[in-house]
Amino acid sequence: LKQGWYSILLFVIFGGMAFQYYAGTSFGRLHVDQLKLIFPLLGRLSRLAAISRFARTLGMLVASGVPLLQSLEIVKEVIGNEILARAIGNVHAAVEKGERISESLAVSEEFPLDAVQMISVGEETGKLDEMLDKIADFYDRWVDYTVKKLTTVLEPLLLAFMGALVGFIMA
């Protein structure tokens, strides 16, 4: 380690740059976003935050009078996850053909069933924007709960890591 520390540092720097380049490609971004959704606790947090962002943005756009197809295009760009953006793209294509949003969201299986059912109720009652706001509020609360849970889990792990690091330095 004393003699080759610069090699390790260069490896870490170039490895980070290579990962960043890979994540910048469309193929790499798809894989990175897929991994984000798979991780046990972080994946759930990422999915909940993206769905909240989807519902909040779509609700605001619909309430402002923006046409639904244009709103879905905007939401697709804002959602921040390529997997969910592709599902929204499929929803856009289905809505163009005359299908309901909730039906095409259910087919994608990327969105939770409770959110799909609430969107269905919003479509039936004609109050889609209000229902989307309720969905966003609900998932924002879940994101807050998940972040608290995550910090509770990470705290002992970070403490153990710091203890091991101090022990390593002492040795």
Side-chain angles (χ1 to χ4, degrees), residues 36-74:
K36 282 182 189 176
L37 296 177
I38 290 174
F39 284 128
L41 201 53
L42 292 175
R44 181 162 174 77
L45 179 64
S46 178
R47 185 179 300 273
L48 293 175
I51 291 170
S52 173
R53 195 175 312 118
F54 162 79
R56 179 86 58 210
T57 306
L58 187 61
M60 277 194 287
L61 291 170
V62 169
S64 299
V66 178
L68 187 60
L69 291 174
Q70 188 178 359
S71 298
L72 287 170
E73 278 296 320
I74 294 169

PDB file of all heavy atoms in Angstrom, residues 36-74:
ATOM      1  N   LYS A  36     -31.112   0.291  -9.634  1.00  0.00           N
ATOM      2  CA  LYS A  36     -31.674   1.168  -8.600  1.00  0.00           C
ATOM      3  C   LYS A  36     -32.992   0.621  -8.074  1.00  0.00           C
ATOM      4  O   LYS A  36     -33.301   0.764  -6.895  1.00  0.00           O
ATOM      5  CB  LYS A  36     -31.922   2.568  -9.161  1.00  0.00           C
ATOM      6  CG  LYS A  36     -30.708   3.418  -9.293  1.00  0.00           C
ATOM      7  CD  LYS A  36     -31.124   4.788  -9.815  1.00  0.00           C
ATOM      8  CE  LYS A  36     -29.974   5.648 -10.197  1.00  0.00           C
ATOM      9  NZ  LYS A  36     -30.426   6.937 -10.780  1.00  0.00           N
ATOM     10  N   LEU A  37     -33.790   0.025  -8.944  1.00  0.00           N
ATOM     11  CA  LEU A  37     -35.095  -0.497  -8.537  1.00  0.00           C
ATOM     12  C   LEU A  37     -35.004  -1.865  -7.869  1.00  0.00           C
ATOM     13  O   LEU A  37     -35.925  -2.274  -7.173  1.00  0.00           O
ATOM     14  CB  LEU A  37     -36.028  -0.571  -9.746  1.00  0.00           C
ATOM     15  CG  LEU A  37     -36.388   0.772 -10.385  1.00  0.00           C
ATOM     16  CD1 LEU A  37     -37.250   0.546 -11.618  1.00  0.00           C
ATOM     17  CD2 LEU A  37     -37.078   1.682  -9.407  1.00  0.00           C
ATOM     18  N   ILE A  38     -33.887  -2.583  -8.066  1.00  0.00           N
ATOM     19  CA  ILE A  38     -33.758  -3.939  -7.532  1.00  0.00           C
ATOM     20  C   ILE A  38     -33.281  -3.952  -6.082  1.00  0.00           C
ATOM     21  O   ILE A  38     -33.702  -4.803  -5.298  1.00  0.00           O
ATOM     22  CB  ILE A  38     -32.810  -4.773  -8.425  1.00  0.00           C
ATOM     23  CG1 ILE A  38     -33.482  -5.065  -9.757  1.00  0.00           C
ATOM     24  CG2 ILE A  38     -32.399  -6.064  -7.749  1.00  0.00           C
ATOM     25  CD1 ILE A  38     -32.583  -5.759 -10.752  1.00  0.00           C
ATOM     26  N   PHE A  39     -32.391  -3.015  -5.702  1.00  0.00           N
ATOM     27  CA  PHE A  39     -31.837  -3.015  -4.354  1.00  0.00           C
ATOM     28  C   PHE A  39     -32.952  -3.031  -3.319  1.00  0.00           C
ATOM     29  O   PHE A  39     -33.958  -2.342  -3.458  1.00  0.00           O
ATOM     30  CB  PHE A  39     -30.953  -1.791  -4.116  1.00  0.00           C
ATOM     31  CG  PHE A  39     -29.602  -1.887  -4.772  1.00  0.00           C
ATOM     32  CD1 PHE A  39     -29.151  -0.877  -5.590  1.00  0.00           C
ATOM     33  CD2 PHE A  39     -28.793  -2.972  -4.562  1.00  0.00           C
ATOM     34  CE1 PHE A  39     -27.917  -0.948  -6.192  1.00  0.00           C
ATOM     35  CE2 PHE A  39     -27.556  -3.063  -5.163  1.00  0.00           C
ATOM     36  CZ  PHE A  39     -27.113  -2.051  -5.985  1.00  0.00           C
ATOM     37  N   PRO A  40     -32.767  -3.817  -2.234  1.00  0.00           N
ATOM     38  CA  PRO A  40     -33.856  -3.999  -1.270  1.00  0.00           C
ATOM     39  C   PRO A  40     -34.461  -2.718  -0.720  1.00  0.00           C
ATOM     40  O   PRO A  40     -35.624  -2.452  -0.926  1.00  0.00           O
ATOM     41  CB  PRO A  40     -33.199  -4.813  -0.152  1.00  0.00           C
ATOM     42  CG  PRO A  40     -32.064  -5.504  -0.790  1.00  0.00           C
ATOM     43  CD  PRO A  40     -31.594  -4.604  -1.893  1.00  0.00           C
ATOM     44  N   LEU A  41     -33.722  -1.896  -0.025  1.00  0.00           N
ATOM     45  CA  LEU A  41     -34.309  -0.710   0.596  1.00  0.00           C
ATOM     46  C   LEU A  41     -34.175   0.516  -0.305  1.00  0.00           C
ATOM     47  O   LEU A  41     -35.115   1.299  -0.440  1.00  0.00           O
ATOM     48  CB  LEU A  41     -33.634  -0.463   1.949  1.00  0.00           C
ATOM     49  CG  LEU A  41     -34.387   0.384   2.950  1.00  0.00           C
ATOM     50  CD1 LEU A  41     -35.783  -0.143   3.171  1.00  0.00           C
ATOM     51  CD2 LEU A  41     -33.649   0.412   4.265  1.00  0.00           C
ATOM     52  N   LEU A  42     -33.023   0.660  -0.948  1.00  0.00           N
ATOM     53  CA  LEU A  42     -32.822   1.796  -1.844  1.00  0.00           C
ATOM     54  C   LEU A  42     -33.707   1.700  -3.079  1.00  0.00           C
ATOM     55  O   LEU A  42     -34.156   2.717  -3.601  1.00  0.00           O
ATOM     56  CB  LEU A  42     -31.348   1.888  -2.253  1.00  0.00           C
ATOM     57  CG  LEU A  42     -30.373   2.253  -1.148  1.00  0.00           C
ATOM     58  CD1 LEU A  42     -28.939   2.191  -1.660  1.00  0.00           C
ATOM     59  CD2 LEU A  42     -30.670   3.615  -0.595  1.00  0.00           C
ATOM     60  N   GLY A  43     -33.964   0.498  -3.542  1.00  0.00           N
ATOM     61  CA  GLY A  43     -34.839   0.317  -4.701  1.00  0.00           C
ATOM     62  C   GLY A  43     -36.258   0.752  -4.397  1.00  0.00           C
ATOM     63  O   GLY A  43     -36.905   1.414  -5.206  1.00  0.00           O
ATOM     64  N   ARG A  44     -36.724   0.381  -3.231  1.00  0.00           N
ATOM     65  CA  ARG A  44     -38.076   0.797  -2.824  1.00  0.00           C
ATOM     66  C   ARG A  44     -38.152   2.316  -2.699  1.00  0.00           C
ATOM     67  O   ARG A  44     -39.116   2.935  -3.160  1.00  0.00           O
ATOM     68  CB  ARG A  44     -38.435   0.131  -1.505  1.00  0.00           C
ATOM     69  CG  ARG A  44     -39.822   0.480  -1.003  1.00  0.00           C
ATOM     70  CD  ARG A  44     -40.274  -0.517   0.036  1.00  0.00           C
ATOM     71  NE  ARG A  44     -41.525  -0.137   0.635  1.00  0.00           N
ATOM     72  CZ  ARG A  44     -42.713  -0.280   0.070  1.00  0.00           C
ATOM     73  NH1 ARG A  44     -42.793  -0.810  -1.127  1.00  0.00           N
ATOM     74  NH2 ARG A  44     -43.813   0.085   0.687  1.00  0.00           N
ATOM     75  N   LEU A  45     -37.122   2.903  -2.124  1.00  0.00           N
ATOM     76  CA  LEU A  45     -37.083   4.361  -1.981  1.00  0.00           C
ATOM     77  C   LEU A  45     -37.064   5.040  -3.344  1.00  0.00           C
ATOM     78  O   LEU A  45     -37.793   6.002  -3.574  1.00  0.00           O
ATOM     79  CB  LEU A  45     -35.857   4.765  -1.168  1.00  0.00           C
ATOM     80  CG  LEU A  45     -35.654   6.256  -0.936  1.00  0.00           C
ATOM     81  CD1 LEU A  45     -36.790   6.820  -0.098  1.00  0.00           C
ATOM     82  CD2 LEU A  45     -34.318   6.496  -0.259  1.00  0.00           C
ATOM     83  N   SER A  46     -36.268   4.526  -4.252  1.00  0.00           N
ATOM     84  CA  SER A  46     -36.177   5.098  -5.593  1.00  0.00           C
ATOM     85  C   SER A  46     -37.512   4.997  -6.329  1.00  0.00           C
ATOM     86  O   SER A  46     -37.952   5.942  -6.973  1.00  0.00           O
ATOM     87  CB  SER A  46     -35.083   4.379  -6.378  1.00  0.00           C
ATOM     88  OG  SER A  46     -34.999   4.861  -7.681  1.00  0.00           O
ATOM     89  N   ARG A  47     -38.168   3.839  -6.223  1.00  0.00           N
ATOM     90  CA  ARG A  47     -39.456   3.648  -6.891  1.00  0.00           C
ATOM     91  C   ARG A  47     -40.525   4.565  -6.299  1.00  0.00           C
ATOM     92  O   ARG A  47     -41.290   5.197  -7.025  1.00  0.00           O
ATOM     93  CB  ARG A  47     -39.900   2.193  -6.795  1.00  0.00           C
ATOM     94  CG  ARG A  47     -41.178   1.903  -7.564  1.00  0.00           C
ATOM     95  CD  ARG A  47     -41.575   0.443  -7.462  1.00  0.00           C
ATOM     96  NE  ARG A  47     -40.585  -0.454  -7.989  1.00  0.00           N
ATOM     97  CZ  ARG A  47     -40.509  -0.817  -9.277  1.00  0.00           C
ATOM     98  NH1 ARG A  47     -41.363  -0.342 -10.145  1.00  0.00           N
ATOM     99  NH2 ARG A  47     -39.581  -1.665  -9.676  1.00  0.00           N
ATOM    100  N   LEU A  48     -40.578   4.647  -4.974  1.00  0.00           N
ATOM    101  CA  LEU A  48     -41.575   5.494  -4.319  1.00  0.00           C
ATOM    102  C   LEU A  48     -41.378   6.966  -4.686  1.00  0.00           C
ATOM    103  O   LEU A  48     -42.345   7.683  -4.963  1.00  0.00           O
ATOM    104  CB  LEU A  48     -41.517   5.320  -2.802  1.00  0.00           C
ATOM    105  CG  LEU A  48     -41.943   3.964  -2.245  1.00  0.00           C
ATOM    106  CD1 LEU A  48     -41.705   3.921  -0.740  1.00  0.00           C
ATOM    107  CD2 LEU A  48     -43.385   3.662  -2.568  1.00  0.00           C
ATOM    108  N   ALA A  49     -40.120   7.408  -4.706  1.00  0.00           N
ATOM    109  CA  ALA A  49     -39.847   8.806  -5.050  1.00  0.00           C
ATOM    110  C   ALA A  49     -40.224   9.094  -6.497  1.00  0.00           C
ATOM    111  O   ALA A  49     -40.795  10.144  -6.803  1.00  0.00           O
ATOM    112  CB  ALA A  49     -38.370   9.123  -4.809  1.00  0.00           C
ATOM    113  N   ALA A  50     -39.940   8.154  -7.393  1.00  0.00           N
ATOM    114  CA  ALA A  50     -40.267   8.357  -8.811  1.00  0.00           C
ATOM    115  C   ALA A  50     -41.780   8.372  -9.022  1.00  0.00           C
ATOM    116  O   ALA A  50     -42.298   9.185  -9.800  1.00  0.00           O
ATOM    117  CB  ALA A  50     -39.620   7.273  -9.658  1.00  0.00           C
ATOM    118  N   ILE A  51     -42.491   7.507  -8.339  1.00  0.00           N
ATOM    119  CA  ILE A  51     -43.950   7.469  -8.483  1.00  0.00           C
ATOM    120  C   ILE A  51     -44.568   8.731  -7.901  1.00  0.00           C
ATOM    121  O   ILE A  51     -45.515   9.292  -8.468  1.00  0.00           O
ATOM    122  CB  ILE A  51     -44.526   6.190  -7.844  1.00  0.00           C
ATOM    123  CG1 ILE A  51     -44.099   4.989  -8.677  1.00  0.00           C
ATOM    124  CG2 ILE A  51     -46.043   6.255  -7.735  1.00  0.00           C
ATOM    125  CD1 ILE A  51     -44.384   3.659  -8.061  1.00  0.00           C
ATOM    126  N   SER A  52     -44.022   9.197  -6.789  1.00  0.00           N
ATOM    127  CA  SER A  52     -44.499  10.458  -6.216  1.00  0.00           C
ATOM    128  C   SER A  52     -44.263  11.607  -7.185  1.00  0.00           C
ATOM    129  O   SER A  52     -45.139  12.448  -7.401  1.00  0.00           O
ATOM    130  CB  SER A  52     -43.798  10.720  -4.891  1.00  0.00           C
ATOM    131  OG  SER A  52     -44.132  11.988  -4.410  1.00  0.00           O
ATOM    132  N   ARG A  53     -43.088  11.636  -7.786  1.00  0.00           N
ATOM    133  CA  ARG A  53     -42.759  12.676  -8.770  1.00  0.00           C
ATOM    134  C   ARG A  53     -43.697  12.588  -9.974  1.00  0.00           C
ATOM    135  O   ARG A  53     -44.180  13.601 -10.481  1.00  0.00           O
ATOM    136  CB  ARG A  53     -41.305  12.515  -9.213  1.00  0.00           C
ATOM    137  CG  ARG A  53     -40.742  13.695  -9.934  1.00  0.00           C
ATOM    138  CD  ARG A  53     -39.252  13.541 -10.240  1.00  0.00           C
ATOM    139  NE  ARG A  53     -38.470  13.105  -9.096  1.00  0.00           N
ATOM    140  CZ  ARG A  53     -37.783  11.949  -9.049  1.00  0.00           C
ATOM    141  NH1 ARG A  53     -37.776  11.147 -10.070  1.00  0.00           N
ATOM    142  NH2 ARG A  53     -37.105  11.631  -7.975  1.00  0.00           N
ATOM    143  N   PHE A  54     -43.961  11.359 -10.429  1.00  0.00           N
ATOM    144  CA  PHE A  54     -44.887  11.135 -11.544  1.00  0.00           C
ATOM    145  C   PHE A  54     -46.270  11.695 -11.220  1.00  0.00           C
ATOM    146  O   PHE A  54     -46.847  12.459 -11.991  1.00  0.00           O
ATOM    147  CB  PHE A  54     -44.976   9.634 -11.840  1.00  0.00           C
ATOM    148  CG  PHE A  54     -46.176   9.229 -12.640  1.00  0.00           C
ATOM    149  CD1 PHE A  54     -46.211   9.417 -14.014  1.00  0.00           C
ATOM    150  CD2 PHE A  54     -47.267   8.632 -12.024  1.00  0.00           C
ATOM    151  CE1 PHE A  54     -47.323   9.033 -14.756  1.00  0.00           C
ATOM    152  CE2 PHE A  54     -48.374   8.243 -12.747  1.00  0.00           C
ATOM    153  CZ  PHE A  54     -48.396   8.458 -14.127  1.00  0.00           C
ATOM    154  N   ALA A  55     -46.798  11.322 -10.057  1.00  0.00           N
ATOM    155  CA  ALA A  55     -48.155  11.734  -9.688  1.00  0.00           C
ATOM    156  C   ALA A  55     -48.241  13.238  -9.465  1.00  0.00           C
ATOM    157  O   ALA A  55     -49.196  13.885  -9.919  1.00  0.00           O
ATOM    158  CB  ALA A  55     -48.602  10.982  -8.438  1.00  0.00           C
ATOM    159  N   ARG A  56     -47.261  13.810  -8.785  1.00  0.00           N
ATOM    160  CA  ARG A  56     -47.286  15.247  -8.497  1.00  0.00           C
ATOM    161  C   ARG A  56     -47.201  16.061  -9.798  1.00  0.00           C
ATOM    162  O   ARG A  56     -47.971  16.983 -10.018  1.00  0.00           O
ATOM    163  CB  ARG A  56     -46.123  15.617  -7.580  1.00  0.00           C
ATOM    164  CG  ARG A  56     -46.035  17.061  -7.231  1.00  0.00           C
ATOM    165  CD  ARG A  56     -46.857  17.491  -6.058  1.00  0.00           C
ATOM    166  NE  ARG A  56     -46.524  16.756  -4.864  1.00  0.00           N
ATOM    167  CZ  ARG A  56     -47.397  16.509  -3.899  1.00  0.00           C
ATOM    168  NH1 ARG A  56     -48.631  16.954  -3.988  1.00  0.00           N
ATOM    169  NH2 ARG A  56     -47.052  15.832  -2.830  1.00  0.00           N
ATOM    170  N   THR A  57     -46.289  15.675 -10.677  1.00  0.00           N
ATOM    171  CA  THR A  57     -46.107  16.434 -11.920  1.00  0.00           C
ATOM    172  C   THR A  57     -47.311  16.289 -12.831  1.00  0.00           C
ATOM    173  O   THR A  57     -47.816  17.272 -13.373  1.00  0.00           O
ATOM    174  CB  THR A  57     -44.831  15.956 -12.646  1.00  0.00           C
ATOM    175  OG1 THR A  57     -43.729  16.036 -11.743  1.00  0.00           O
ATOM    176  CG2 THR A  57     -44.544  16.808 -13.860  1.00  0.00           C
ATOM    177  N   LEU A  58     -47.785  15.053 -13.004  1.00  0.00           N
ATOM    178  CA  LEU A  58     -48.947  14.832 -13.870  1.00  0.00           C
ATOM    179  C   LEU A  58     -50.181  15.529 -13.308  1.00  0.00           C
ATOM    180  O   LEU A  58     -50.962  16.130 -14.052  1.00  0.00           O
ATOM    181  CB  LEU A  58     -49.205  13.339 -14.058  1.00  0.00           C
ATOM    182  CG  LEU A  58     -50.283  12.958 -15.073  1.00  0.00           C
ATOM    183  CD1 LEU A  58     -49.914  13.463 -16.459  1.00  0.00           C
ATOM    184  CD2 LEU A  58     -50.486  11.455 -15.099  1.00  0.00           C
ATOM    185  N   GLY A  59     -50.348  15.502 -11.987  1.00  0.00           N
ATOM    186  CA  GLY A  59     -51.483  16.173 -11.365  1.00  0.00           C
ATOM    187  C   GLY A  59     -51.454  17.677 -11.586  1.00  0.00           C
ATOM    188  O   GLY A  59     -52.484  18.288 -11.894  1.00  0.00           O
ATOM    189  N   MET A  60     -50.266  18.272 -11.450  1.00  0.00           N
ATOM    190  CA  MET A  60     -50.157  19.722 -11.674  1.00  0.00           C
ATOM    191  C   MET A  60     -50.428  20.075 -13.131  1.00  0.00           C
ATOM    192  O   MET A  60     -51.095  21.063 -13.422  1.00  0.00           O
ATOM    193  CB  MET A  60     -48.761  20.214 -11.286  1.00  0.00           C
ATOM    194  CG  MET A  60     -48.609  20.473  -9.808  1.00  0.00           C
ATOM    195  SD  MET A  60     -47.117  21.412  -9.423  1.00  0.00           S
ATOM    196  CE  MET A  60     -45.869  20.176  -9.688  1.00  0.00           C
ATOM    197  N   LEU A  61     -49.897  19.275 -14.043  1.00  0.00           N
ATOM    198  CA  LEU A  61     -50.091  19.567 -15.459  1.00  0.00           C
ATOM    199  C   LEU A  61     -51.548  19.419 -15.871  1.00  0.00           C
ATOM    200  O   LEU A  61     -52.087  20.254 -16.605  1.00  0.00           O
ATOM    201  CB  LEU A  61     -49.195  18.659 -16.306  1.00  0.00           C
ATOM    202  CG  LEU A  61     -47.694  18.944 -16.212  1.00  0.00           C
ATOM    203  CD1 LEU A  61     -46.902  17.837 -16.881  1.00  0.00           C
ATOM    204  CD2 LEU A  61     -47.366  20.285 -16.825  1.00  0.00           C
ATOM    205  N   VAL A  62     -52.201  18.360 -15.396  1.00  0.00           N
ATOM    206  CA  VAL A  62     -53.612  18.146 -15.726  1.00  0.00           C
ATOM    207  C   VAL A  62     -54.466  19.258 -15.123  1.00  0.00           C
ATOM    208  O   VAL A  62     -55.383  19.775 -15.762  1.00  0.00           O
ATOM    209  CB  VAL A  62     -54.079  16.748 -15.255  1.00  0.00           C
ATOM    210  CG1 VAL A  62     -55.580  16.603 -15.343  1.00  0.00           C
ATOM    211  CG2 VAL A  62     -53.396  15.668 -16.082  1.00  0.00           C
ATOM    212  N   ALA A  63     -54.160  19.655 -13.879  1.00  0.00           N
ATOM    213  CA  ALA A  63     -54.921  20.721 -13.227  1.00  0.00           C
ATOM    214  C   ALA A  63     -54.724  22.063 -13.938  1.00  0.00           C
ATOM    215  O   ALA A  63     -55.617  22.901 -13.939  1.00  0.00           O
ATOM    216  CB  ALA A  63     -54.508  20.847 -11.759  1.00  0.00           C
ATOM    217  N   SER A  64     -53.562  22.249 -14.558  1.00  0.00           N
ATOM    218  CA  SER A  64     -53.277  23.499 -15.269  1.00  0.00           C
ATOM    219  C   SER A  64     -53.892  23.544 -16.654  1.00  0.00           C
ATOM    220  O   SER A  64     -53.785  24.565 -17.330  1.00  0.00           O
ATOM    221  CB  SER A  64     -51.768  23.691 -15.392  1.00  0.00           C
ATOM    222  OG  SER A  64     -51.186  23.767 -14.116  1.00  0.00           O
ATOM    223  N   GLY A  65     -54.482  22.450 -17.082  1.00  0.00           N
ATOM    224  CA  GLY A  65     -55.131  22.429 -18.383  1.00  0.00           C
ATOM    225  C   GLY A  65     -54.254  21.970 -19.533  1.00  0.00           C
ATOM    226  O   GLY A  65     -54.634  22.104 -20.695  1.00  0.00           O
ATOM    227  N   VAL A  66     -53.074  21.432 -19.235  1.00  0.00           N
ATOM    228  CA  VAL A  66     -52.199  20.910 -20.286  1.00  0.00           C
ATOM    229  C   VAL A  66     -52.821  19.609 -20.801  1.00  0.00           C
ATOM    230  O   VAL A  66     -53.278  18.780 -20.008  1.00  0.00           O
ATOM    231  CB  VAL A  66     -50.776  20.654 -19.734  1.00  0.00           C
ATOM    232  CG1 VAL A  66     -49.862  20.073 -20.802  1.00  0.00           C
ATOM    233  CG2 VAL A  66     -50.191  21.924 -19.155  1.00  0.00           C
ATOM    234  N   PRO A  67     -52.875  19.414 -22.112  1.00  0.00           N
ATOM    235  CA  PRO A  67     -53.452  18.179 -22.660  1.00  0.00           C
ATOM    236  C   PRO A  67     -52.742  16.943 -22.100  1.00  0.00           C
ATOM    237  O   PRO A  67     -51.532  16.973 -21.835  1.00  0.00           O
ATOM    238  CB  PRO A  67     -53.223  18.304 -24.166  1.00  0.00           C
ATOM    239  CG  PRO A  67     -53.065  19.761 -24.409  1.00  0.00           C
ATOM    240  CD  PRO A  67     -52.464  20.336 -23.179  1.00  0.00           C
ATOM    241  N   LEU A  68     -53.501  15.876 -21.924  1.00  0.00           N
ATOM    242  CA  LEU A  68     -52.994  14.678 -21.264  1.00  0.00           C
ATOM    243  C   LEU A  68     -51.793  14.070 -21.986  1.00  0.00           C
ATOM    244  O   LEU A  68     -50.810  13.677 -21.347  1.00  0.00           O
ATOM    245  CB  LEU A  68     -54.111  13.636 -21.130  1.00  0.00           C
ATOM    246  CG  LEU A  68     -53.770  12.395 -20.319  1.00  0.00           C
ATOM    247  CD1 LEU A  68     -53.384  12.784 -18.898  1.00  0.00           C
ATOM    248  CD2 LEU A  68     -54.943  11.446 -20.290  1.00  0.00           C
ATOM    249  N   LEU A  69     -51.837  13.986 -23.298  1.00  0.00           N
ATOM    250  CA  LEU A  69     -50.722  13.396 -24.039  1.00  0.00           C
ATOM    251  C   LEU A  69     -49.450  14.226 -23.874  1.00  0.00           C
ATOM    252  O   LEU A  69     -48.358  13.680 -23.690  1.00  0.00           O
ATOM    253  CB  LEU A  69     -51.079  13.246 -25.519  1.00  0.00           C
ATOM    254  CG  LEU A  69     -52.140  12.193 -25.821  1.00  0.00           C
ATOM    255  CD1 LEU A  69     -52.513  12.223 -27.296  1.00  0.00           C
ATOM    256  CD2 LEU A  69     -51.650  10.814 -25.419  1.00  0.00           C
ATOM    257  N   GLN A  70     -49.583  15.533 -23.905  1.00  0.00           N
ATOM    258  CA  GLN A  70     -48.430  16.401 -23.704  1.00  0.00           C
ATOM    259  C   GLN A  70     -47.931  16.288 -22.265  1.00  0.00           C
ATOM    260  O   GLN A  70     -46.725  16.296 -22.009  1.00  0.00           O
ATOM    261  CB  GLN A  70     -48.808  17.840 -24.040  1.00  0.00           C
ATOM    262  CG  GLN A  70     -47.641  18.792 -24.052  1.00  0.00           C
ATOM    263  CD  GLN A  70     -48.051  20.201 -24.437  1.00  0.00           C
ATOM    264  OE1 GLN A  70     -49.213  20.467 -24.722  1.00  0.00           O
ATOM    265  NE2 GLN A  70     -47.092  21.104 -24.433  1.00  0.00           N
ATOM    266  N   SER A  71     -48.843  16.157 -21.327  1.00  0.00           N
ATOM    267  CA  SER A  71     -48.470  15.990 -19.919  1.00  0.00           C
ATOM    268  C   SER A  71     -47.677  14.706 -19.717  1.00  0.00           C
ATOM    269  O   SER A  71     -46.682  14.695 -18.989  1.00  0.00           O
ATOM    270  CB  SER A  71     -49.711  15.961 -19.035  1.00  0.00           C
ATOM    271  OG  SER A  71     -50.418  17.167 -19.112  1.00  0.00           O
ATOM    272  N   LEU A  72     -48.101  13.629 -20.360  1.00  0.00           N
ATOM    273  CA  LEU A  72     -47.378  12.365 -20.237  1.00  0.00           C
ATOM    274  C   LEU A  72     -45.978  12.466 -20.832  1.00  0.00           C
ATOM    275  O   LEU A  72     -45.030  11.875 -20.295  1.00  0.00           O
ATOM    276  CB  LEU A  72     -48.164  11.234 -20.905  1.00  0.00           C
ATOM    277  CG  LEU A  72     -49.404  10.769 -20.139  1.00  0.00           C
ATOM    278  CD1 LEU A  72     -50.239   9.824 -20.994  1.00  0.00           C
ATOM    279  CD2 LEU A  72     -49.022  10.101 -18.835  1.00  0.00           C
ATOM    280  N   GLU A  73     -45.827  13.209 -21.906  1.00  0.00           N
ATOM    281  CA  GLU A  73     -44.494  13.409 -22.499  1.00  0.00           C
ATOM    282  C   GLU A  73     -43.588  14.162 -21.526  1.00  0.00           C
ATOM    283  O   GLU A  73     -42.419  13.827 -21.361  1.00  0.00           O
ATOM    284  CB  GLU A  73     -44.605  14.187 -23.816  1.00  0.00           C
ATOM    285  CG  GLU A  73     -44.963  13.351 -24.997  1.00  0.00           C
ATOM    286  CD  GLU A  73     -43.918  12.309 -25.348  1.00  0.00           C
ATOM    287  OE1 GLU A  73     -42.706  12.615 -25.268  1.00  0.00           O
ATOM    288  OE2 GLU A  73     -44.313  11.183 -25.676  1.00  0.00           O
ATOM    289  N   ILE A  74     -44.138  15.178 -20.893  1.00  0.00           N
ATOM    290  CA  ILE A  74     -43.356  15.965 -19.937  1.00  0.00           C
ATOM    291  C   ILE A  74     -42.979  15.108 -18.732  1.00  0.00           C
ATOM    292  O   ILE A  74     -41.827  15.120 -18.278  1.00  0.00           O
ATOM    293  CB  ILE A  74     -44.134  17.225 -19.499  1.00  0.00           C
ATOM    294  CG1 ILE A  74     -44.302  18.168 -20.688  1.00  0.00           C
ATOM    295  CG2 ILE A  74     -43.454  17.933 -18.332  1.00  0.00           C
ATOM    296  CD1 ILE A  74     -45.273  19.304 -20.453  1.00  0.00           C
TER     297      ILE A  74
END
